[in-house]
Amino acid sequence: MGTDATAQAAHEHLTTPTRLTGAEIVWATLVGEGVTDVFGYPGGAILPVYDALRKFPIRHTLVRHEQGAAHMADGYARASGKVGVAIATSGPGATNLVTGIATAMLDSIPLVCITGNVSSKVLGTDAFQEVDITGITLPVTKHNFLIFRTEDIAPAIRSAFQIARSGRPGPVLVDITKDAQQGTAIFDFAAAKPRPYRPHPMLRVEESGLAQAAELIRHSKRPIILAGHGVTESEAMEQLRTLAERAQIPVALTLLGLGGFPASHPLNLGMMGMHGESWVNHAIQESDLLIACGMRFDDRVTGTLATYAPKAKKIHIEVDPAEINKNVKVDVALVGDLRAVLEELLPRIPGRDGSAWIKTIEASKGAVAVHDIKNLPDSGHLWAAHVVHDLWRITAGNAIVVTDVGQHQMWEAQYFHHEHPRTLITSGGLGTMGFALPAAIGAKFACPEKEVWVIAGDGGFQMTSAELSTIAQEKIKINIAIINNGYLGMVRQWQQFFYERNYEATPLVSPDFVKLADAHGIRGRAVRTRAEVADAVNEARSAPGAFLLNFLVEKEDSVYPMIPVGSALHEMIRRPDNDPLLESADDK
Amino acid sequence: MLHTFVAYVEDRPGVLTRVASLFRRLNINIHSLTVGHSERNSLSRMTVVCDASAEAGHRIRASLFKLENVVDVDDIAGAPSVTRELALIKVAATKHTRSAIFELVEVFRARIVDLTAESLMIEMTGVESKIEGLIQVLNESDSRILEICRSGKMTMRRGHHTSGVLRAMGADPGEKPLPDDEFAGAAEESAAIESE
């Protein structure tokens, strides 16, 4: 991070066209786009850019693997709503970004990734550390640029930011040859502004569609709102809430939709889909009208399509025209920004009595709620669900939780109740193990005043655990909860249900995570019983630095309910009656 | 069903890959693809023909539009349009066998564009069925086809410039839009020309 003088100099570059090197133009353009933090890893082909960094008021975080840089930029973007920026060198540096870029693509996260490449003279000759990264990332970016002229750098980066954050957001990669970084050009920030953003020409919100949607809502007896990630992306929380409250329509959420509608709201049903609660999925199957808001009918929320919500008409409000009728054929498509569409729709929605339908759903909750793990007394075992639930209770939900992928992710979604958007950061579409730790670092940089918790499994944590060094080097305060069951738990669960308990390659030997943390100068503690959970969580929270809790939970617990792949949404595998959880319960 | 997409794309490296990659990802085989300069300096025009369901047609068009280098996409389903293909066909022929081929070429309104002692080259422009007709007749005759090179389909809608996107960018729509009945007449007229 530069001094005030460098900040002033950088600011002058933005207002007065100046001759700069390509490397300086990279930073000057980032400053102009409002960037304050970047995550990266240097190397030969990006060295000119690194050499110029000290002249600009941007904080660079050195990662331990470029995948971490992409995930940190992603976590930064998800926590802040701003564009995240990752930087890497050519060849392996660039390819290491790919998993992170794909993660952002599948979840529509705005990223700008900048990579160096070999000089334009040797481009395409298999020079040392050369790779065709624009070719490789073509299907996992919204767009990418190969830049080999200094004067093209600023326009490309400015376009990249516009593309990343517009419409349905996503990652953009800018690959810059070394000679373009070393050359000079007149930097004119204003002149490098891209053409005005062109909205997708197939966006369509017609009078007739709005009227039809309003009519369907008016006449529906059993409507449900399906709220997805688009609620957060388009900041339509208020509009969604108004729609739900005025028309008394219950709201079911996708994984990435969690937080977009308050968990404590009486109309909130909870998460739908593969690991959604039974009443949510039953309600969807019984519904006569689904109002899908900023979600894409992913296979994890629909179950088998042939039997999905057979009685329901469908209204789809979605910003990406390519999502309309992709998985589920809809009756009314309102293709546009969710908030704008809801603003137009709301004046047509009169008050409505939805109490009968809500009562029906409530009644179906009863039996399940009694069996809920939260209501069970301490049996001496440590269950992951208890850990997550206690964490929620102790933090009063006022934390950003960043999860990895697997069983713990689903338990988090079930037992940590999110009131606000951007408080659950998780890889939904791509399901990227190793996401949590680096993404949490990015989230902490975006929201330094917020309490940030990593919840990760013992498997996924080890995929990117080297980023503990980054935490140590940057001296940031993150709390880490490892849900350690000695298995690749979700895969083991599938083997249990669908592969006759053939636990091939899922038992997992891990290092002593507390010692691993200690080796990084990070304090930690192992937790074996439920009685210790609260004290351990409080110790982690009050510790001045990062803290790691190694929760040694039951080894063969499974996530219930579960819809097997290929089954209908109402065909759930329920927690078996001989489950030790229920055996020790008071209600049995 | 067969879809014909007409796309205006930026004329720069890599754009063809982006378009082709979209079809590859959906596992859709491209029947034919033609690219060339358009009436605008910076834009190329593509005609892409592929076989996909009607729903996939909507998704392909929407996905094409999501590519930053794609400026406009038209799905010419059953709309009044003119489609042409160019074929070069090399046939083995000596001075003794030429005259039969000359007759065929005459009937199909094709042209001989090259002639050597052992072969001749036929150039033919027309709709796909006409070109296939000539190839079939050549195959059924005693002639031996040595090489065939076909351009793939090129398609253009009838009437004035139909691209709203390009008009918004300042494209010349040609004549002022014809009233509906006149337009119908014009379409019939051009239909008559095509059927010749």
Side-chain angles (χ1 to χ4, degrees):
Chain A
M1 174 81 81
T3 63
D4 285 352
T6 62
Q8 200 182 342
H11 183 71
E12 273 166 23
H13 293 326
L14 293 175
T15 49
T16 320
T18 322
R19 181 164 286 277
L20 297 177
T21 67
E24 291 164 338
I25 289 172
V26 169
W27 295 114
T29 312
L30 292 178
V31 170
E33 291 290 341
V35 174
T36 54
D37 291 272
V38 300
F39 306 91
Y41 203 103
I46 194 76
L47 258 178
V49 165
Y50 274 85
D51 188 49
L53 171 57
R54 67 193 155 80
K55 300 175 196 161
F56 295 87
I58 285 183
R59 173 157 62 168
H60 176 273
T61 298
L62 174 67
V63 303
R64 294 301 178 271
H65 184 288
E66 289 86 351
Q67 181 188 348
H71 289 329
M72 285 180 210
D74 180 320
Y76 183 92
R78 292 188 203 230
S80 65
K82 294 193 273 189
V83 179
V85 180
I87 298 186
T89 190
S90 62
T95 55
N96 280 347
L97 288 174
V98 172
T99 301
I101 294 173
T103 304
M105 184 69 176
L106 271 276
D107 287 349
S108 310
I109 304 301
L111 288 195
V112 170
C113 297
I114 294 171
T115 50
N117 209 333
V118 297
S119 282
S120 60
K121 290 180 291 295
V122 295
L123 212 54
T125 65
D126 291 340
F128 178 64
Q129 289 196 332
E130 186 199 351
V131 76
D132 173 16
I133 195 62
T134 46
I136 288 171
T137 58
L138 191 144
V140 293
T141 49
K142 261 187 98 175
H143 191 58
N144 60 28
F145 297 87
L146 170 58
I147 300 301
F148 49 89
R149 294 193 312 188
T150 308
E151 59 268 35
D152 294 339
I153 293 175
I157 293 179
R158 293 208 65 181
S159 281
F161 273 84
Q162 184 186 61
I163 294 165
R165 61 184 156 219
S166 60
R168 179 178 180 174
V172 182
L173 180 131
V174 185
D175 192 29
I176 308 172
T177 61
K178 192 167 182 180
D179 52 337
Q181 299 167 37
Q182 289 163 327
T184 65
I186 298 294
F187 172 64
D188 185 341
F189 184 73
K193 188 178 175 190
R195 277 179 311 202
Y197 166 63
R198 178 200 70 169
H200 195 296
M202 289 164 78
L203 297 184
R204 201 140 284 139
V205 183
E206 279 162 354
E207 260 322 285
S208 58
L210 290 165
Q212 214 184 332
E215 194 65 12
L216 284 173
I217 291 171
R218 203 170 11 251
H219 290 114
S220 167
K221 297 268 185 289
R222 301 183 304 280
I224 294 186
I225 293 170
L226 308 177
H229 193 204
V231 176
T232 304
E233 292 281 358
S234 96
E235 306 201 320
M237 286 76 72
E238 271 312 304
Q239 290 73 11
L240 172 69
R241 191 170 172 157
T242 308
L243 173 66
E245 288 176 353
R246 191 185 299 165
Q248 286 296 298
I249 304 175
V251 179
L253 300 159
T254 67
L255 175 65
L256 292 190
L258 294 175
F261 189 72
S264 62
H265 196 287
L267 288 168
N268 189 328
L269 295 178
M271 185 172 71
M272 64 180 112
M274 183 174 270
H275 294 293
E277 291 295 351
S278 59
W279 64 80
V280 190
N281 291 333
H282 276 302
I284 290 170
Q285 290 301 78
E286 287 304 311
S287 167
D288 65 356
L289 178 65
L290 299 180
I291 307 156
C293 297
M295 56 85 76
R296 58 186 175 96
F297 293 106
D298 180 81
D299 54 81
R300 286 299 186 268
V301 309
T302 60
T304 188
L305 289 169
T307 54
Y308 180 68
K311 302 164 190 167
K313 297 267 187 197
K314 283 121 191 158
I315 300 170
H316 198 181
I317 310 176
E318 165 61 43
V319 72
D320 181 355
E323 292 293 346
I324 305 298
N325 293 329
K326 185 179 86 176
N327 297 335
V328 170
K329 190 131 182 56
V330 298
D331 300 279
V332 181
L334 301 170
V335 192
D337 174 68
L338 178 61
R339 182 164 69 169
V341 174
L342 288 177
E343 298 267 10
E344 283 195 69
L345 184 61
L346 281 171
R348 297 157 202 265
I349 306 294
R352 192 182 148 277
D353 177 18
S355 56
W357 170 229
I358 291 164
K359 265 189 206 130
T360 310
I361 299 175
E362 282 296 325
S364 70
K365 276 186 191 178
V368 181
V370 168
H371 290 207
D372 193 284
I373 191 165
K374 299 188 298 251
N375 302 324
L376 301 174
D378 185 1
S379 58
H381 296 277
L382 184 61
W383 300 94
H386 285 153
V387 174
V388 173
H389 186 69
D390 288 355
L391 199 54
W392 168 72
R393 215 170 25 78
I394 295 165
T395 59
N398 291 322
I400 295 177
V401 181
V402 187
T403 81
D404 220 75
V405 170
Q407 287 184 317
H408 70 275
Q409 181 188 29
M410 293 299 109
W411 282 315
E412 201 286 345
Q414 291 175 337
Y415 294 100
F416 198 106
H417 306 294
H418 292 275
E419 293 295 304
H420 304 291
R422 305 194 183 283
T423 58
L424 169 59
I425 291 175
T426 191
S427 165
L430 196 67
T432 308
M433 286 173 68
F435 175 78
L437 188 64
I441 295 170
K444 185 68 182 179
F445 274 103
C447 305
E449 76 294 350
K450 285 271 181 68
E451 179 176 346
V452 175
W453 277 87
V454 169
I455 301 182
D458 41 336
F461 184 77
Q462 289 185 73
M463 283 199 175
T464 51
S465 59
E467 303 300 343
L468 285 172
S469 304
T470 309
I471 292 176
Q473 180 165 354
E474 298 296 327
K475 300 184 174 61
I476 52 176
K477 165 69 177 162
I478 286 178
N479 301 315
I480 300 161
I482 299 179
I483 306 297
N484 185 347
N485 57 11
Y487 279 105
L488 301 176
M490 187 58 95
V491 184
R492 186 209 59 75
Q493 176 172 341
W494 281 52
Q495 289 171 331
Q496 176 190 336
F497 291 175
F498 314 122
Y499 294 88
E500 293 160 339
R501 295 179 187 260
N502 178 21
Y503 295 161
E504 194 64 63
T506 42
L508 181 70
V509 172
S510 296
D512 180 332
F513 289 116
V514 174
K515 281 189 184 157
L516 183 68
D518 186 53
H520 292 85
I522 293 170
R523 287 172 58 200
R525 172 173 167 182
V527 183
R528 291 181 176 79
T529 63
R530 189 173 187 191
E532 300 167 73
V533 172
D535 185 57
V537 169
N538 283 325
E539 185 182 357
R541 296 182 80 204
S542 56
F547 205 98
L548 182 147
L549 295 175
N550 184 18
F551 291 100
L552 298 150
V553 299
E554 283 299 317
K555 287 183 175 304
E556 297 193 20
D557 192 14
S558 291
V559 181
Y560 297 101
M562 177 179 190
I563 300 158
V565 172
S567 297
L569 205 51
H570 56 277
E571 294 167 349
M572 279 163 280
I573 300 176
R574 307 305 306 271
R575 190 174 276 282
D577 271 356
N578 63 356
D579 189 287
L581 271 175
L582 293 184
E583 280 172 0
S584 60
D586 279 344
D587 60 290
K588 285 298 259 191
Chain B
M1 63 179 280
L2 270 193
H3 292 271
T4 304
F5 298 98
V6 171
Y8 281 86
V9 302
E10 289 175 31
D11 184 10
R12 56 171 65 188
V15 175
L16 179 60
T17 311
R18 291 173 197 275
V19 171
S21 181
L22 195 149
F23 290 89
R24 172 191 58 77
R25 214 199 136 181
L26 296 171
N27 197 25
I28 292 172
N29 188 36
I30 295 175
H31 282 226
S32 79
L33 189 156
T34 66
V35 197
H37 295 299
S38 72
E39 70 277 13
R40 291 175 73 87
N41 273 340
S42 55
L43 298 183
S44 301
R45 179 173 172 133
M46 288 185 179
T47 306
V48 189
V49 182
C50 69
D51 195 4
S53 68
E55 295 81 44
H58 166 88
R59 195 169 155 218
I60 292 166
R61 182 161 177 254
S63 302
L64 281 168
F65 264 129
K66 283 164 73 175
L67 300 176
E68 288 298 320
N69 301 120
V70 172
V71 176
D72 193 21
V73 189
D74 191 5
D75 182 358
I76 314 229
S81 57
V82 176
T83 298
R84 288 292 181 271
E85 191 176 349
L86 170 72
L88 295 175
I89 303 168
K90 193 185 282 176
V91 184
T94 61
K95 61 184 175 186
H96 307 294
T97 57
R98 270 175 211 156
S99 56
I101 299 172
F102 284 0
E103 274 173 37
L104 283 180
V105 165
E106 183 70 18
V107 171
F108 277 86
R109 297 186 188 201
R111 298 198 297 152
I112 307 289
V113 290
D114 187 46
L115 193 68
T116 65
E118 296 83 27
S119 72
L120 54 80
M121 195 192 297
I122 304 166
E123 174 197 309
M124 168 142 181
T125 310
V127 295
E128 192 178 20
S129 58
K130 210 166 148 187
I131 289 169
E132 269 157 19
L134 174 59
I135 293 170
Q136 192 186 341
V137 171
L138 284 169
N139 278 330
E140 285 167 359
S141 69
D142 294 333
S143 321
R144 192 158 56 90
I145 294 177
L146 301 174
E147 284 182 56
I148 296 176
C149 175
R150 294 172 67 168
S151 65
K153 284 185 196 172
M154 304 164 72
T155 300
M156 193 177 275
R157 277 185 190 254
R158 289 186 177 132
H160 57 84
H161 205 308
T162 43
S163 165
V165 175
L166 287 190
R167 277 208 300 278
M169 289 173 67
D172 182 0
E175 299 294 314
K176 65 175 189 288
L178 297 165
D180 280 352
D181 51 339
E182 273 184 61
F183 179 74
E188 270 165 35
E189 201 177 299
S190 45
I193 294 165
E194 182 173 20
S195 66
E196 269 177 16

